[in-house]
Amino acid sequence: MHSSPLSRRVLGAAVSLPLVVLSVACGGEGTDGADDPVTVVVTETAGTPTDTPASTTPLTEEQLNEAVLAHENLSPGWREVSSESEIGFGSVGCLAGMAQVPDDLFAAMARAEYDFEEDSLTTLLSAAGSVADEADATSFVDAAQATAAGCTSVNGTDDDGDQWEGTLTADETITNDAIDDQLLVEFDGTITTPDGTDLDIETRYLLARTGPHIAIVLSVNFPTYNYFDDAAYLQIAVDRFAAVATGAEPPVTVGPETN
């Protein structure tokens, strides 16, 4: 099983954090996002099926690569980066174990990772994979839902020495008719690095299943520095995954601008 503390990915970038803070302090373009305009999502629908069942056999490597977020879905400013092998939300407090991805699913997952601009900590990670037995996929989602349902706050230190404190909400609302199970876990709070730096952080972990196919989408944002409509991008990822899993062309959807 593979678990992955989120802070290992996020705070690996925090080595450059003093530069970000300095840029903002010296009149950089950091923003709290409170008054920033929201760009309307522009969609050209290529067809997201509502009554077509998902394939009962594992998706091919080509299909999995198509099922994850593509650069064409992103507004200007996003850049593709080499995706790390770890996938997950966190391992602090009651979250421990929620990101345990079965070995066979982990090995077969396609991944796409994007950062917003070179010096930004805002990140999107999209992954998709299939297992041979739909029951295994269902069990994976059930376990994550059970863990999330009993976890409403986090206060603890992860393996990297980062202190997490904040609230969690879990939502099992299905947002695409082709999806069988869905889970959205939202963390809003602060992390304190080992050197004492406090950071406001927003993370979103979305898990979607249709048949034996699973998508995981992770967004990370530090709202002091960027305005990021992560909900729009998570929905784009779900719609893209659902279309490919049911044999349709994914809708051509461009997300709102990040600034």
Side-chain angles (χ1 to χ4, degrees), residues 18-188:
L19 298 178
V20 176
V21 175
L22 180 62
S23 173
V24 174
C26 294
E29 296 182 355
T31 174
D32 61 8
D35 299 318
D36 292 319
V38 177
T39 300
V40 177
V41 177
V42 178
T43 304
E44 298 176 14
T45 302
T48 301
T50 58
D51 56 0
T52 303
S55 167
T56 58
T57 59
L59 299 177
T60 65
E61 182 179 356
E62 181 180 0
Q63 288 173 313
L64 291 174
N65 286 328
E66 189 179 26
V68 298
L69 278 173
H71 200 274
E72 67 183 9
N73 298 130
L74 308 177
S75 61
W78 287 93
R79 64 187 189 114
E80 188 168 5
V81 296
S82 298
S83 179
E84 297 186 1
S85 59
E86 303 278 350
I87 302 172
F89 187 91
S91 59
V92 181
C94 55
L95 282 176
M98 196 179 82
Q100 295 286 326
V101 181
D103 289 340
D104 56 346
L105 176 62
F106 182 88
M109 275 191 151
R111 301 173 183 82
E113 186 172 351
Y114 304 92
D115 287 347
F116 180 68
E117 299 183 339
E118 188 170 355
D119 59 353
S120 171
L121 301 179
T122 298
T123 299
L124 270 169
L125 173 63
S126 176
S130 301
V131 294
D133 189 342
E134 182 175 341
D136 291 338
T138 302
S139 295
F140 173 61
V141 177
D142 287 347
Q145 290 174 331
T147 299
C151 190
T152 58
S153 64
V154 169
N155 190 334
T157 303
D158 65 22
D159 295 338
D160 297 322
D162 308 314
Q163 175 72 30
W164 291 67
E165 184 174 358
T167 59
L168 279 97
T169 57
D171 187 352
E172 297 182 12
T173 302
I174 293 174
T175 60
N176 182 296
D177 288 346
I179 297 298
D180 297 321
D181 289 306
Q182 189 167 317
L183 171 66
L184 173 64
V185 179
E186 301 180 291
F187 173 84
D188 292 281

